[in-house]
Amino acid sequence: MIVCHCNVLSDHDIRACLGDGPDCPRAVGEVYACLGCSPECGRCARTIRAILREAGIGGCAACPVGECGGHVASAEPVLIAAE
């Protein structure tokens, strides 16, 4: 599935750049850099964060946005889906 239409990045592209090494991406911006591009409109950032969380990378259980910055409140609104 295409995740980023601006840079034509698929979920497979994103997952392929993830790994355990110290130089592997741990945040959305690092994923873009690893794939040789930069964010344009930013609409794909939430999906990339979700892929990072799915892979066990970035954030922690206490950070609903997935960007653990020492538990500092994010300026980005968080939407929580009702179950």
Side-chain angles (χ1 to χ4, degrees), residues 45-64:
R46 286 181 185 245
T47 305
I48 294 173
R49 274 191 215 105
I51 292 170
L52 287 168
R53 279 194 307 269
E54 183 181 285
I57 300 170
C60 64
C63 298

Side-chain angles (χ1 to χ4, degrees), residues 13-66:
D13 296 328
I14 294 164
R15 286 184 178 91
C17 80
L18 304 179
D20 293 331
D23 295 331
C24 292
R26 297 286 178 249
V28 174
E30 293 172 355
V31 169
Y32 287 114
C34 180
L35 295 171
C37 59
S38 60
E40 298 295 325
C41 74
R43 283 185 259 178
C44 57
R46 286 181 185 245
T47 305
I48 294 173
R49 274 191 215 105
I51 292 170
L52 287 168
R53 279 194 307 269
E54 183 181 285
I57 300 170
C60 64
C63 298
V65 184

